[in-house]
Amino acid sequence: MDLNEFIEEKEGSTGLEMKFYSNRSPKKGYSWEKGPTLIPEEKISRTEKSEVLIIGGGISGLSTGARVQEKGCQTTIIDKNKKMFALAGQIAAVNSRVMAEKGISIDKKQLAADWMKVSGSRIQEDLLWLFINRSAEGFHWMLDLAGDDNLEVGVYEAYKGLMFTEYPGTHHIFKKKGSTKYENFGGGMLACEIVQKAFLDFGGKLDRDTAALYLEKNAEGRVTGCVAVHGDEYIRYEGEKAVIIATGDCCEDDEMLEAFCPTGTRLTKRFTRHGNKGDGQKMLYWAGAALDNPEWAATVHTLAYSHFQGFWLHVNRLGKRFMNEDTWMQAKSMRCMMQPGGDYCFTIMDAKYADEMAERWDDLGGQGMTPLAVVGDAHGKELVEKNVEFQLSKKNAFKADTIEELAQLIDVPADELKKTIARYNEIVKSGDDTDFGKRKELLTSIEQGPFYALKWGPTLLDVFGGAQVTTNLEVMDADAKIIPGLYAVGNTAGGMYHVDYPLLLNGNSYGRALAYAMQLGDVLGK
């Protein structure tokens, strides 16, 4: 029997059906699977109507709101936090005008291929290309909203390694000295302030301290709005044209981590996200949306303790070397998690560490390998010395005249640490790392006191997973049918991440927010 005959026989006997499939839920009895508690109609005090309703007032909700409002749609944003909040510091844009001025460019096709590889080929390529093709447009739009007189823009040095190479499209924005237009100094808070001010200037309505509880549909199945609570008052919000979910991720909900991102449950350190408990993902699920299949991508950065690791010898809590140190920050986090204890490891350096950094400054880059620096920054030695001195004052770094004393300070077996360092010095002398394969240029000896140990460990920042969406950000159900009136952006929109956060382009989450804002402006704008 050949293959075609086998297929025909199986189809005839079993009714084989090829159907779009998605895990809408693990169906293990999690509390959120039971659905929301509906508010009695008599307790809903009033109805607020607009053309577009956005639930969530972070970077995705604010930038989408500003763009849609600018395009002529009366928009209301509600957010459960009392104040604007942002954590990220970087914004990724592919081939921005700032990059062009510095002679930097990205091969889009190679970026897409590498992104797919990092994600285990488990993403929607059309959404990835939406980001790649529109991120610079969105970034330029935000810069234009702020005006040249108000911002300084830098491009971070990307990590240049053999196992992993970052792309040089990570931007940081700072308020220009003397500018009075904005209050925040830089990073994500400044980005949010720019788009929030634009949203309000364009005539948008922003209701903070107002938490959406669940979505509502009409008789035809169209999502019409939500029921929300502000203090003791229940309010119905309606979006005649669209309801957009932009509530962030689920990293503070242990049940959702267990269901969709088990890696996240293993981390003892988490950045507080002001209640990112998957509110949007739950509302989407209750409305019939298909959620991404596990495992959702986790942003796990080495931001616990010293925030910095460098290229020097890394040892675990037993004093043993365990990895090729020539790699990216996300990889270092995962390697650390696999060690005894899993919460932290150490970088071991000697008295010449600052000179060693300066000599290799142009060959490094990246958050885990160097202190954060922009293209053209020539102060590698001073930056790393300042960083280490600060960490010594915070007890996240340790200094001793002998290896034995250092081992005692960091509570690792002295004999094992001495043995590890002796073996590492042999490797340095030979110029060939036969144990872990680190490139020769990054092999430096540990011989001259005083000796240093940087304590570092993994921290959970975000979990990327949400509803499956079209390239117009329309939410789909388990049969790949569009749920009318319902859209998702930011970390509630699925499809673009899986397995691992693609740190090959830092700040891509904020870059995606701006790219999606451009797209929805075109989809919903007048």
Side-chain angles (χ1 to χ4, degrees), residues 20-22 124 290-293 466-470 474-476 494:
F20 177 92
Y21 173 75
S22 171
Q124 293 175 233
L291 301 182
D292 282 332
N293 289 329
Q468 294 178 354
V469 295
T470 70
E474 302 157 301
V475 174
M476 294 185 287

Side-chain angles (χ1 to χ4, degrees), residues 253-300:
D253 187 288
D254 289 335
E255 281 193 338
M256 295 204 81
L257 288 180
E258 180 184 319
F260 295 109
C261 186
T263 295
T265 65
R266 297 172 53 200
L267 288 145
T268 60
K269 302 291 185 182
R270 301 181 194 176
F271 266 95
T272 301
R273 303 304 297 269
H274 287 231
N276 279 21
K277 295 181 176 292
D279 298 338
Q281 287 83 350
K282 294 169 187 174
M283 286 188 284
L284 288 161
Y285 169 68
W286 298 331
L291 301 182
D292 282 332
N293 289 329
E295 177 156 333
W296 291 4
T299 308
V300 185

